[in-house]
Every structure is written in structure tokens, then in C-alpha cells.
Amino acid sequence: MSEKKKLVLIGGGGHCRSVLDVVLRLNTFDEIVITDHSIPAGTQIMGCEIVGGDGLLPRLYEEGFRYAFITVGSIGDTVLRRKLCQNALETGFLFPNIVDPSAAVAADAEPGTGIFVGKQAVINAGAVIGDMAIINTGAIVEHDCRIGGFSHISVGATLCGGTSVGSGVFIGAHATVVQGVVIGRDSTIGAGALVLGDVPNETKVVGKWRALRRSPLAAGAFESEEKKVNDISNRILIIAEAGVNHNGSLELAYRMVDAAKEAGADIVKFQTAKPEQMVSKFAGKAEYQKKTTGGEESQIDMLRRLLPGQDDFICLKKYCETKEIEFLSTPFDIESIRFLDELGCRFWKVPSGEITNYPYLMEIARTKKPVVLSTGMADTDEISAAVSLLREHGAGEICLLHCTTEYPAPFGEVNLRAMQTMKESFGCRVGYSDHTPGIEISVAAAALGAAVIEKHFTLDRNMEGPDHKASLEPDELAALVRAVRHVESALGNGIKRPTDSEKKNIVAARKSIVARRPIRKGETLTVENITTKRPGNGISPMRWNEVIGSKAIRDFEEDELLEV
Ligand code: JB2
């Protein structure tokens, strides 16, 4: 008697029902159960039972379930799907392909394993679909497209011929990607987007529909409505942190705005606080503050001396507008959050010290704005709790900044790889708040995928005050911006192919098969009479094995390009 075919669906939501509808109609499995950690065990979905969470997978395997399918979808976040897949693979499960009978899949298309193809989806000739991809209802993957593993092509999206999509990419409902475009890995393209040109790795275009890369030839192309948001998503955002390095002088603060603009920073950032609300009168200074400002003064008196009043911030924001550099200020207490919210900052920069301050984080989250959260001094559990709290209370997109809260931070304590760990663990964009001396660690952070770089700067490192010593001077800030921009443009989209400037060098740099010595018509071509030399506009030496042993079709002079 043949063994029963048993399938576990992992995830019991909407996608599970789409998948179940197909597998039940195809009737290829004798038994189907579902794991889901938030739906009570015993619940029936289309006649199949939720048996509990993923902890049951090893037991189900022992009970003869050999097939698994990830039915947790993903919108712009494939981290969970990858994790679930890895877990099931390690248990030993196999992944079937589940293709709705109404889908049209070309005979020579190459599907991976564990893919889902929904109703009336089209996968045309020569298309290659990576493992675990979702090609959802009515999506069109035209001829010769290449879809990376774990990608999710949503309902009605159209990928024109020859489109190449990296791994883990989400293409939103009814988005259209024109012919031959290359989309880098882990990118997220919003619903209804019109993609007209290549898109770098990890680009996020979520929310409103927009055209990516306007092309004069493309009918119907339109400018992005939220260019600024789009820019932030695609470029490394460089925040020049003025902090309190203006020493409480509005005039110096203006000069810092000028210097940040001159250096090419995207944002100049200040700090806003009501000293009485920020520190208790008993709070002492940090060690580095004692070193740089002396030990007698209390922390509250130092802050009273250094922090501008609310009117000053209104002036500073206006000044930034005239200088065309974005103003940002970090609030240190709830009253300052409300003040800055009204003043109109586009997002929040939450400092490391507030990561455990739940009333503060809830107030930030209530504004629904995006949050850039510094994580100095924190461990993973504290970060996870802060991220959950912010999300629960409605915060916008969260970006986590790795940081070592010491002034200056010793190189040996930077642990830059923790930035990447956070990216993987929290599935969000990350960046680096740099307290080290010099610019090289910021540049390294850019190379390792930072989306935001923040760096303290001062007009003069010899000025009196707590943060000057650990800050860059304006020319160094400019060098940092230049280096980060160079690295950013050098990182590219990760797709290995010759660039336009390389293509024009191919003929000069590559070789062709040529006559080593004069050859007579009909002579057999051997290593004795042919060789490879520049230029590369003849027969490619890649055809060497095919040419060797064939007959010369005519006479050739020494060094003449061979013809066959
Ligand atoms: O780690 C997990 C886990 N995390 C979430 N293990 C298991 N076994 N289940 C998990 N889930 C469950 O996935 C949730 O508890 C929830 O029941 C389900 C997700 O359901 P939801 O309806 O929110 O999303 P979906 O993933 O089924 O559907 C998305 O993707 C589809 C392709 C939606 O965006 C759909 O619109 C889309 N068609």
C-alpha cells in the first residue's frame, strides 16, 4: 500500500486559504493540517485543522507528514518566510509547488520548489522562478523574466519581458515593471508603481504609487509625489549632529547650519529639551561630561546653559528652510516632543538614552511619524521591546541606528556587525550613529548597508563644552559626506554584468582567435597555427575547443583574425 501524502501548511491566514483552495481542488494530498501560533488549535479552515504552532513540526514529520508549504505571505518583508522555510527544511520537509489549474505556465518556464502560482497568473516562455516565490492571482510574468527566491509578485502585477528580480523582492498589486528592468534583492515596490528603470538593492517604495525613474519615452510616466520620502528610502541619509555644540548661542547655531549645508549633509540636527523635565536636580554628569566641562556644575545647570529655548528653534527651522537643508531636533522630554511635532519635523530621531523610556516612546509613536531609533547601551531584548511598543502605538517606519554611547567611542567597541544583526533580527532598515574619531567607521557602515549615518560636528574642536572633542570639524564632515556618497554609488545593485563604460573597453581588452603564422585554406587548425591576441572583435577564444580541429576556410596571414 502506498504511503499517504500528507501536507502541513505553515500559517493559517488569507494566503493559507488561497493555497488550500488549490490543493483541495487538485486533491493531491490525503491529509492536510495547518500550524499557526495565533489561531486556536482545533479551528477548522476550509475543513483542515489548525493543530498548534510550529513547535509541532518535528512531531508531524514523525507522523508521516513529509510535505510543508509556507502559507505566511509577506508584504515587503521576507525575513519571516525565510526563517519558517529554514526551520521546515531542517526538520526534513519537502516543498511542493502549488499551481492553480487556471494559471498558464509556459512549457519551458523553470519553476523552483515551494512556489505558489495563483488563479489566472501567467508565467511565460523561458521565465525562471526561484524557490518559495509567490506569483499571486492574475500576476503576469512575461517571457524570460527571472524571479529570485522568496519573491512575492502580488495580485495583478505585470513584469514585462526580460525583467530580472532579485531574491526576496515584493512587487505590489498591479505594479508594472517595464521590459528588461533589473530590480535588486530585497526591494519592495508599492502597489500600482510604474517601474521604468533599474532599481537598486533594498529599495523601498511603499505606500503611494509612483514612477521609478522617469523616462521621456515612457508614456504615462509621472513624477513622484513624495520625492523626499523616496529619496530617503534610496539614499544614505546623512545627519550632521550639531547637538549642543553651539554652546547655547543662536548665532553659533546658524553658523553650524551653514557648515552642515556646505559639507553636503542632508539634515542638521539639534537637541530640544526642558532641562527641568529631562534630568532630576540630583542627576550627576556622565564621566565624559566631567572630563570636558568640569565636575562642579550639576547636569541640569549645564543643560540650562547649553540648550536653546523654543523661540530659538522656531528661528533655527526657518533659517534651515532658507538654506535648503532639512532641520531636525531630538526631543528629550514629552513637552519637547509636542513642541517639535507642532514645529513640523518629518520624522523622529530618538536618542539612545530614551530607548527604555516607555511614556516617551508612546508619545513619539502616537504622532505616527517614522522613527530613527538609536540603540547605544541597549541589548537585543530592550531593542525588541522598544520596537514592539513603538509599532503597537502606531509609529511609522522604524530605522534602528547602531551606536556605542561613549565619547569618543573606542574602535574596539564599535562592533559594526551588530548593525547587520539588527537588520536581520528586526527586518527593518538600519544605520549608524558614529561616536568614533574620524570618518572611516561611518564609511565602513555605509559599505555594510547603513541607510542613515549620523555624526557629531563642531565649528572648532577646541571649544569648551561636552561634545566638541568627539566631533568632526566642517572640512572633515565634508570629507565624510563625500566618502559616503562615493561608497553609496559604488555599491550598485549587486547584479554582475558589464557596465556601459566597461562595454566600450571590451574590444581593446579582450582577445580573439588569430593566425599564429600564415595558414593555407583547408589546413587543420591546431595550437601550432592559431593563438589568441587582442583585439576582441573576432571569434571569441571561448570557442577555442570548437575551432581546434576544424579546417581553415581560406588563407590567413599571421595575426589575421580567424573566420570559421
Ligand atoms: O511564525 C509563524 C507565523 N507568523 C504569523 N508561524 C505560523 N505557523 N504562522 C504564523 N503566522 C500566521 O500567519 C498568523 O498568525 C496569521 O494567522 C497568518 C498570516 O495571515 P494574514 O491573513 O495576516 O496574512 P497572509 O500571510 O496569510 O497573507 C498575506 O500574503 C498573501 C500572499 C496577505 O498580504 C494577503 O493579502 C496576500 N494575498
Side-chain angles (χ1 to χ4, degrees):
M1 207 173 80
S2 70
E3 211 185 315
K4 278 189 163 185
K5 266 183 104 178
K6 297 175 167 191
L7 171 72
V8 189
L9 299 180
I10 300 174
H15 189 44
C16 173
R17 293 205 304 283
S18 301
V19 171
L20 264 178
D21 183 66
V22 182
V23 283
L24 290 175
R25 272 184 304 124
L26 291 175
N27 208 15
T28 35
F29 292 95
D30 301 299
E31 194 178 342
I32 302 170
V33 295
I34 305 162
T35 61
D36 195 299
H37 56 62
S38 62
I39 303 178
T43 306
Q44 296 280 322
I45 296 181
M46 298 168 76
C48 301
E49 189 176 334
I50 305 266
V51 287
D54 300 333
L56 289 175
L57 287 174
R59 207 184 79 200
L60 289 168
Y61 188 82
E62 274 174 25
E63 287 173 9
F65 284 84
R66 290 289 177 267
Y67 296 90
F69 200 83
I70 310 298
T71 42
V72 179
S74 61
I75 296 202
D77 174 8
T78 46
V79 175
L80 178 60
R81 281 173 57 76
R82 284 183 208 266
K83 200 181 92 192
L84 294 172
C85 169
Q86 187 63 30
N87 185 19
L89 270 178
E90 278 165 12
T91 312
F93 284 100
L94 301 169
F95 291 90
N97 285 339
I98 297 180
V99 180
D100 191 284
S102 68
V105 182
D108 67 346
E110 292 177 37
T113 54
I115 70 165
F116 175 72
V117 184
K119 292 188 172 45
Q120 303 204 331
V122 175
I123 299 179
N124 217 338
V128 179
I129 312 291
D131 296 343
M132 306 290 155
I134 298 172
I135 312 295
N136 223 336
T137 313
I140 298 177
V141 177
E142 258 301 341
H143 65 87
D144 302 312
C145 286
R146 307 184 83 81
I147 311 292
F150 290 96
S151 294
H152 179 167
I153 313 302
S154 194
V155 178
T158 301
L159 306 185
C160 297
T163 298
S164 182
V165 171
S167 63
V169 170
F170 175 76
I171 311 271
H174 291 282
T176 300
V177 182
V178 304
Q179 191 99 6
V181 158
V182 175
I183 298 184
R185 65 180 157 70
D186 291 326
S187 300
T188 305
I189 309 294
L194 175 59
V195 184
L196 304 168
D198 292 358
V199 172
N201 283 345
E202 300 181 46
T203 296
K204 289 231 182 312
V205 184
V206 286
K208 290 200 179 153
W209 58 303
R210 73 211 44 216
L212 286 184
R213 302 263 179 108
R214 190 180 166 88
S215 150
L217 296 175
F222 51 90
E223 290 282 15
S224 155
E225 290 172 61
E226 288 173 52
K227 186 168 176 304
K228 265 194 148 173
V229 176
N230 198 9
D231 282 350
I232 284 212
S233 303
N234 296 328
R235 296 173 77 223
I236 298 175
L237 190 74
I238 303 179
I239 304 178
E241 164 71 310
V244 292
N245 279 348
H246 45 63
N247 288 356
S249 150
L250 189 58
E251 197 44 45
L252 275 185
Y254 285 156
R255 298 291 72 81
M256 295 195 80
V257 172
D258 296 342
K261 172 72 188 178
E262 181 89 351
D266 297 296
I267 292 186
V268 58
K269 188 176 89 61
F270 297 92
Q271 296 177 0
T272 307
K274 283 259 168 199
E276 302 71 28
Q277 302 212 0
M278 182 183 165
V279 289
S280 106
K281 55 182 180 272
F282 304 115
K285 287 184 186 174
E287 278 312 310
Y288 83 94
Q289 292 171 336
K290 284 187 195 157
K291 265 193 219 152
T292 48
T293 63
E296 285 79 63
E297 190 184 36
S298 67
Q299 196 178 144
I300 198 166
D301 285 339
M302 178 184 78
L303 291 170
R304 280 192 186 116
R305 182 164 55 77
L306 294 177
L307 286 165
Q310 294 192 343
D311 290 347
D312 294 334
F313 284 109
I314 296 170
C315 299
L316 265 175
K317 180 156 192 283
K318 285 217 174 91
Y319 188 72
C320 287
E321 277 158 17
T322 62
K323 291 283 160 181
E324 296 189 328
I325 179 166
E326 188 169 349
F327 164 90
L328 190 67
S329 191
T330 288
F332 281 82
D333 52 70
I334 288 178
E335 192 180 322
S336 301
I337 296 173
R338 291 179 186 153
F339 164 70
L340 289 168
D341 192 28
E342 255 179 49
L343 189 61
C345 290
R346 189 162 51 97
F347 64 93
W348 296 109
K349 168 62 216 309
V350 173
S352 295
E354 306 302 324
I355 200 163
T356 54
N357 187 355
Y358 284 13
Y360 171 103
L361 293 179
M362 288 188 286
E363 190 66 26
I364 287 278
R366 274 185 208 114
T367 66
K368 311 249 182 290
K369 288 182 182 170
V371 179
V372 175
L373 173 64
S374 273
T375 58
M377 305 171 287
D379 62 26
T380 309
D381 288 346
E382 288 165 335
I383 300 167
S384 173
V387 168
S388 302
L389 187 81
L390 284 166
R391 284 182 177 154
E392 247 166 58
H393 288 82
E397 185 193 349
I398 296 170
C399 170
L400 296 174
L401 297 196
H402 178 50
C403 175
T404 306
T405 309
E406 172 63 315
Y407 302 84
F411 293 117
E413 290 186 27
V414 168
N415 190 18
L416 213 45
R417 289 199 176 96
M419 182 179 83
Q420 295 171 305
T421 307
M422 290 200 297
K423 181 174 186 156
E424 279 157 26
S425 312
F426 296 103
C428 62
R429 291 192 300 143
V430 292
Y432 181 55
S433 172
D434 185 4
H435 292 189
T436 63
I439 69 170
E440 54 274 47
I441 309 303
S442 282
V443 177
L448 289 177
V452 176
I453 304 272
E454 180 185 82
K455 184 82 186 182
H456 282 262
F457 79 110
T458 174
L459 295 177
D460 179 353
R461 237 189 322 266
N462 296 318
M463 282 191 339
E464 297 240 324
D467 296 343
H468 294 286
K469 291 277 168 297
S471 301
L472 294 182
E473 292 193 345
D475 55 338
E476 296 164 323
L477 180 64
L480 179 144
V481 173
R482 264 197 312 277
V484 168
R485 291 286 169 243
H486 288 166
V487 168
E488 176 178 51
S489 64
L491 281 176
N493 62 14
I495 294 163
K496 182 61 187 154
R497 58 177 184 181
T499 65
D500 289 343
S501 56
E502 279 182 310
K503 279 181 196 156
K504 66 177 170 15
N505 297 327
I506 285 179
V507 168
R510 284 198 175 159
K511 290 180 176 160
S512 305
I513 303 179
V514 300
R516 183 191 281 274
R517 56 161 174 75
I519 301 174
R520 292 264 151 258
K521 182 176 175 184
E523 220 181 289
T524 302
L525 301 175
T526 68
V527 289
E528 304 302 327
N529 56 14
I530 60 171
T531 185
T532 61
K533 287 189 184 175
R534 290 176 174 179
N537 57 344
I539 295 173
S540 166
M542 289 170 81
R543 293 176 61 192
W544 182 258
N545 292 337
E546 173 200 324
V547 170
I548 288 282
S550 66
K551 304 269 187 229
I553 58 164
R554 61 171 175 83
D555 290 352
F556 292 95
E557 290 173 36
E558 183 182 343
D559 272 358
E560 197 182 342
L561 290 176
L562 204 74
E563 288 166 24
V564 289

